[in-house]
Amino acid sequence: MNIPTNVEQKFWYLRHHKLFSTLSNAQIDDLCIITKHKQAKKGESIYFGDDLQQRVFFLKKGIIKIVEYNEKGDEVIKDIIQKGDIFGSLALESDDKESAITMSPEAIVCSFKISDFETVLSKNPEIALKYFKFIGLRLKRIENKYTNLFFKDVKSRLINFLKDWVKAEGKKVGFDWVMDNYLTHQDIAGLICSSRQTVTQLLRDLENEGHIRYDRKEILVHSSLIEQ
C-alpha cells in the first residue's frame, strides 16, 4: 500500500530534524500520527484557531517573523524564525500575545499539541535534554538582544544584526557574504528597536562607506564590516 504523500513529508522532516535524530523509524512513524502540517504564503499567519495557545511548531521551510502588537496597534518584531527552528509555546504554556507571519514566498510547518509534545518528552529523556538546551540557547539570544539595547547605539546594533544575519544565512562570495533580502527597513527597525527612517539612513551610510551593497533582492556585506 502506498503511503500518502503528506505522511511521507512528515516522516522525512521529522527523520531529518536534529531533535529527533536518535529515534527509530517506528518511533518517527508514531510521531507522524500526532503531528499537523500547515502551509502559508507570504503575509499569511501560521497560527489559526487556538493553535497559538496549544501547539509547538517546527519550521520545515521558509522564514517567518514572530510579532506582537503594542497599544497603538503597531507591529513589534520579536524574532526571525528560520528553517529548522522551533517556536510557539516553547515553555509548554499558553501565550495569546504572539503571532507568526510568513516572510518568504512560502512557509511550511509541522506542529504538536502541547499535551502530545509533553508525552514525547517524558518518554524520551534524550529528546527532552536537547529541547531544553534549545530553550536555553533561545533565552541567551534574547538576553543578548536586550543587552545590546541597553549598552549599544543604533548603528552598533544594526552592525551586530547584519553580522548575525551573515552568520545565519550568508553565502561566501570571494571576501564578502550575500543574503537574500526578505526584510524591509521597517522590519529591521523593529528588530533593533529603532525607526525606519534611522535604519534607512544608516544603511545608506554603510553603503556609502563601502561596507554593504543593498537592494530589494539581496544584501552583500563586505568583510570590512564583519571584521569590525
Side-chain angles (χ1 to χ4, degrees):
M1 181 178 65
N2 292 330
I3 301 175
T5 302
N6 62 335
V7 176
E8 292 177 345
Q9 291 175 342
K10 288 181 183 181
F11 182 92
W12 183 91
Y13 178 65
L14 294 172
R15 173 75 285 166
H16 290 85
H17 196 283
K18 58 186 176 181
L19 190 66
F20 306 112
S21 60
T22 59
L23 295 183
S24 67
N25 287 347
Q27 290 173 309
I28 296 293
D29 282 334
D30 290 338
L31 292 184
C32 289
I33 297 173
I34 60 174
T35 59
K36 183 176 183 179
H37 270 206
K38 178 176 174 65
Q39 181 175 346
K41 296 180 180 179
K42 185 173 183 178
E44 291 182 350
S45 175
I46 292 294
Y47 303 132
F48 55 100
D50 294 328
D51 277 0
L52 173 57
Q53 293 88 355
Q54 298 178 356
R55 306 189 81 86
V56 176
F57 295 82
F58 294 75
L59 183 58
K60 175 180 178 181
K61 177 182 179 181
I63 300 163
I64 65 172
K65 58 183 176 181
I66 304 297
V67 303
E68 287 185 357
Y69 296 92
N70 61 25
E71 295 178 354
K72 298 179 180 179
D74 298 325
E75 181 183 276
V76 178
I77 299 179
K78 297 182 64 178
D79 205 356
I80 298 295
I81 304 298
Q82 300 166 332
K83 179 181 177 181
D85 283 347
I86 307 171
F87 64 101
S89 300
L90 297 184
L92 306 183
E93 296 178 349
S94 297
D95 184 351
D96 58 0
K97 298 179 180 180
E98 293 183 350
S99 184
I101 308 298
T102 304
M103 303 184 73
S104 51
E106 177 186 60
I108 301 175
V109 299
C110 71
S111 63
F112 295 85
K113 286 185 178 179
I114 291 177
S115 56
D116 289 336
F117 194 64
E118 287 176 332
T119 300
V120 172
L121 296 183
S122 66
K123 290 182 177 180
N124 300 276
E126 188 171 353
I127 292 178
L129 181 60
K130 288 182 180 179
Y131 180 75
F132 290 112
K133 281 184 177 179
F134 170 84
I135 297 299
L137 291 173
R138 178 77 176 274
L139 292 175
K140 183 65 176 179
R141 187 168 70 182
I142 294 172
E143 179 184 348
N144 289 340
K145 177 180 178 180
Y146 284 104
T147 297
N148 287 338
L149 291 178
F150 279 111
F151 298 108
K152 295 186 177 180
D153 59 26
V154 178
K155 185 173 182 179
S156 297
R157 298 202 300 269
L158 176 59
I159 290 173
N160 281 343
F161 168 76
L162 292 173
K163 289 179 178 180
D164 289 341
W165 195 359
V166 165
K167 185 177 180 180
E169 299 182 38
K171 299 176 183 177
K172 194 74 178 294
V173 179
F175 294 101
D176 306 318
W177 287 263
V178 175
M179 294 94 70
D180 292 334
N181 183 20
Y182 52 85
L183 295 175
T184 65
H185 291 187
Q186 185 61 56
D187 291 335
I188 296 174
L191 285 166
I192 66 172
C193 293
S194 182
S195 67
R196 180 187 59 79
Q197 294 87 346
T198 299
V199 166
T200 298
Q201 182 59 54
L202 288 173
L203 288 172
R204 187 179 296 120
D205 291 345
L206 290 173
E207 189 164 27
N208 291 336
E209 293 166 6
H211 294 307
I212 67 171
R213 190 173 71 242
Y214 192 97
D215 60 37
R216 292 184 178 181
K217 292 185 177 181
E218 66 179 24
I219 179 168
L220 184 146
V221 178
H222 295 293
S223 56
S224 58
L225 188 72
I226 301 300
E227 294 168 359
Q228 285 190 16

